[in-house]
Amino acid sequence: MRVGVLTGGGDCPGLNAVIRAVVRKGVQSHGHEFVGYRDGWRGPLEGVSVRLDIPAVRGILPRGGTVLGSSRTNPLHEEDGVRRIRDTLADDGVDALVAIGGEDTLGVAARLGDEHGVPCVGVPKTIDNDLSATDYTFGFHTAVGIATEAIDRLHTTAESHMRVLVVEVMGRHAGWIALHSGLAGGANVILIPEQPFDIEQVCAWVTSRFRASYAPIVVVAEGAVPRDGALVLKDRSLDSFGHVRLSGVGEWLAEQIEKRTGKEARTTVLGHVQRGGTPSAYDRWLATRFGLHAVDAVHERDFGTMVALRGTDIVRVPLAEATAKLKTVNPELYAEAGVFFG
């Protein structure tokens, strides 16, 4: 078989480990050939590809980002997008696609397979950890580690100046990064999209912390919403999948805390630093296993599936199921962290 590989959506640590595993096992165990499509769905849409063989993937395991490039291109919104992709695959002699991405990238793969007969196998990638069909996505572990280290460092400067430090982390509409890093980093308040927050309660927790002669750290997910307000946005423009570019709640929160408590407050927005750099050992391990099992699914022509982690096993689930809904933080899990608020 001749197999295409693409990485779509936001970059994250571990993408290169998947590419390496797919190619290594695909060539060595199954005798397949591989084509790498550049910049997500833009590659097959515009016919931009590179050769993927064993020399091409040598040494990429520890590298962050993706050697294939990525984008948020949505081919379903492009003129004749499906036809152009099918023509590209036919011209390149590609029998199947391995799509590595999150909700949007895999949603396109699911529709291309179900509605247009394009054979696809998905690999779940997102630092947000919000795909419901898998216990974890690769990239999440690295992002949590980066955020936790930042919180550790901010504790010392916050206490030196006895000021409030608000740390805004990624996660869009799921609070997994905020919850994990906030709990691991000893944050005094953790705010997530799943639980609208009361600004007066946040200020009460902050004040309580100062009474104990400690400077508070507030961790807030970029999609967190005040109970009596709306999503705080700096930029209301939309990407090709209809998503707003989230950011701004951290600065708004710091302003509100300072105004209501009289305590100096500063904001640190971690942003893309959570997605960049070297993947953790766990993410390399998980991404490699995903790649090995994805190419087996292609070899067995089990299309329309996504590889997923269940416990310690890698299983296959329907792509449609994997993208049907987001995996969000349940109230009971969030309540565990509440013991440490204030």
Side-chain angles (χ1 to χ4, degrees):
M1 296 175 70
R2 190 169 172 82
V3 183
V5 182
L6 62 84
T7 54
D11 66 294
C12 88
L15 284 166
N16 289 322
V18 180
I19 297 168
R20 170 179 174 268
V22 166
V23 173
R24 285 288 298 269
K25 187 168 189 181
V27 172
Q28 294 175 190
S29 300
H30 302 312
H32 299 323
E33 295 181 351
F34 292 88
V35 174
Y37 286 107
R38 295 285 307 171
D39 303 331
W41 288 112
R42 184 180 298 154
L45 194 65
E46 300 179 359
V48 183
S49 64
V50 295
R51 183 179 178 184
L52 276 183
D53 53 17
I54 290 179
V57 300
R58 190 168 292 139
I60 69 172
L61 173 65
R63 289 173 57 183
T66 164
V67 295
L68 293 178
S70 191
S71 74
R72 296 193 183 278
T73 302
N74 185 352
L76 302 179
H77 287 177
E78 298 287 334
E79 185 176 356
D80 291 330
V82 174
R83 179 192 59 78
R84 290 160 61 188
I85 286 178
R86 290 170 64 94
D87 288 350
T88 296
L89 299 183
D91 291 344
D92 292 344
V94 168
D95 303 297
L97 275 176
V98 174
I100 311 167
E103 172 197 8
D104 296 325
T105 300
L106 298 184
V108 170
R111 288 190 58 185
L112 287 177
D114 291 345
E115 300 173 18
H116 305 285
V118 177
C120 296
V121 169
V123 178
K125 171 252 25 161
T126 169
I127 67 168
D128 300 343
N129 196 40
D130 60 0
L131 288 172
S132 61
T134 183
D135 289 351
Y136 287 99
T137 56
F138 71 88
F140 171 68
H141 185 271
T142 304
V144 168
I146 292 169
T148 302
E149 181 182 355
I151 295 166
D152 286 346
R153 291 176 179 273
L154 290 169
H155 271 293
T156 60
T157 185
E159 291 173 7
S160 295
H161 294 274
M162 289 305 288
R163 60 164 60 121
V164 185
L165 282 182
V166 177
V167 186
E168 183 184 304
V169 300
M170 285 182 164
R172 192 163 285 277
H173 302 302
W176 294 108
I177 295 176
L179 181 64
H180 281 242
S181 64
L183 197 57
N188 312 110
V189 182
I190 302 170
L191 306 176
I192 63 175
E194 295 87 340
Q195 299 286 330
F197 62 87
D198 181 346
I199 186 62
E200 292 295 342
Q201 178 62 74
V202 171
C203 291
W205 283 326
V206 165
T207 301
S208 172
R209 182 69 171 176
F210 276 115
R211 287 199 198 101
S213 299
Y214 286 99
I217 299 287
V218 178
V219 174
V220 57
E222 60 187 356
V225 181
R227 185 175 298 163
D228 299 322
L231 192 65
V232 180
L233 299 172
K234 275 183 164 183
D235 181 356
R236 295 185 177 275
S237 59
L238 305 179
D239 65 18
S240 62
F241 289 94
H243 301 307
V244 293
R245 292 169 171 83
L246 297 180
S247 185
V249 67
E251 290 185 15
W252 178 86
L253 195 59
E255 290 173 1
Q256 292 296 314
I257 290 172
E258 188 164 307
K259 181 170 69 175
R260 293 165 185 257
T261 68
K263 300 294 186 180
E264 185 181 12
R266 293 290 183 269
T267 306
T268 298
V269 181
L270 295 184
H272 288 72
V273 71
Q274 296 159 92
R275 295 206 324 220
T278 301
S280 67
Y282 180 85
D283 278 339
R284 299 184 203 189
W285 171 84
L286 181 58
T288 297
R289 293 191 69 202
F290 277 158
L292 297 174
H293 284 261
V295 79
D296 284 345
V298 169
H299 182 70
E300 296 167 17
R301 299 182 180 274
D302 192 6
F303 302 126
T305 60
M306 184 193 83
V307 292
L309 180 69
R310 297 281 176 83
T312 58
D313 296 328
I314 305 296
V315 300
R316 298 174 194 169
V317 297
L319 264 172
E321 174 190 330
T323 57
K325 64 177 181 179
L326 292 179
K327 179 178 67 182
T328 54
V329 177
N330 64 55
E332 293 79 12
L333 193 58
Y334 182 64
E336 292 178 359
V339 171
F340 303 99
F341 293 178

